[in-house]
Amino acid sequence: QKRIEDSLFKGKVVVIYGARQVGKTTIVKNLQKKYPDSIYLNCDEPDVREALTNASSVEIKSFIGDKKIVFLDEAQRVKNIGLSLKLIMENFPEMQVVATGSSSFELSNQISEPLTGRKYEFLIYPFSIKELSSGQSEADINRSLENRLIFGMYPEVAIKSGEEQKQAIKDITKSYLFKDVLQYQNIKNPEILEKLLQALALQVGNEVSYPELAETINVDKKTVVNYIDILEKAFIIFQLNPFSRNLRNELKKLRKIYFFDNGIRNAL
């Protein structure tokens, strides 16, 4: 939060990325308390999306008003959000915009070009062991480690236990995968996506071959590459590229794929 605060009013849009449920809205709400002269707009709301989609600077101004800071939550839901943000920057330079997005593919594709060099980006992750272990003894940390490795570190999951914890990670996995990825990319075969995720979950730590994955789930290699790209941009997985002293060898070697959260991997 401090890093985000330090980047405000520097003449750039602040973009906060991260999967749903990692705490983006919590950060935004905390920031809003410090800046009473602000407005919070949830772009999941149809009227907010309509007001900001392909709007002129005059229309945007009448909708937002004279607020010092504008918080746009789930901004990727607004079509051509990049152009709207560019208009705000160019016409109202004294106004600070903070936009959050739970999927970089929508937000990035629509804001990268209009906002090249005009934005600060932050990526919010699930909790780390260090964050959750503040003030705990080493014995307490070790005692809870197995549970955290199994159920992951999403805030909603980490503060619960027992059956509630199991249900929380199942709910996040379901909405996380299907609400964002399927909705925004209009993926026609959710079954293939689920099979691909399960195949990746079962070989975490191993080198990943796209042709082998394609054969396993019975699709072509191009589909696998496309889906993995989408899953990366939805903050579900990330690739670890090979390292070699010979750079040409790096290009030939296979990559490894990991999940941002171990609980998601285990739920799959």
Side-chain angles (χ1 to χ4, degrees), residues 196-208 213 236-238 255-262 264-266 268:
L196 175 60
L197 280 163
Q198 288 172 347
L200 291 171
L202 290 167
Q203 61 182 64
V204 163
N206 296 328
E207 292 182 338
V208 173
L213 277 175
I236 296 172
I237 61 173
F238 65 92
R255 81 289 305 153
K256 294 183 180 183
I257 293 178
Y258 292 90
F259 285 76
F260 272 101
D261 183 75
N262 215 40
I264 295 291
R265 179 261 174 192
N266 292 331
L268 286 163

Side-chain angles (χ1 to χ4, degrees), residues 10 12 14 37 40 43 45 99 102 138 155 207 213 217 244:
K10 301 281 178 67
K12 296 190 179 186
V14 171
D37 189 16
Y40 171 84
C43 298
E45 300 284 348
S102 58
E138 190 174 343
E207 292 182 338
L213 277 175
I217 61 174
S244 173

Side-chain angles (χ1 to χ4, degrees), residues 119-152:
K119 65 182 184 294
Y120 291 124
E121 293 182 332
F122 297 90
L123 179 56
I124 310 298
Y125 296 92
F127 283 142
S128 68
I129 291 288
K130 186 178 179 181
E131 284 176 304
L132 284 180
S133 304
S134 178
Q136 286 189 332
S137 67
E138 190 174 343
D140 287 335
I141 294 170
N142 290 335
R143 200 174 293 122
S144 61
L145 187 60
E146 184 177 358
N147 179 276
R148 289 172 177 171
L149 285 169
I150 292 170
F151 292 101

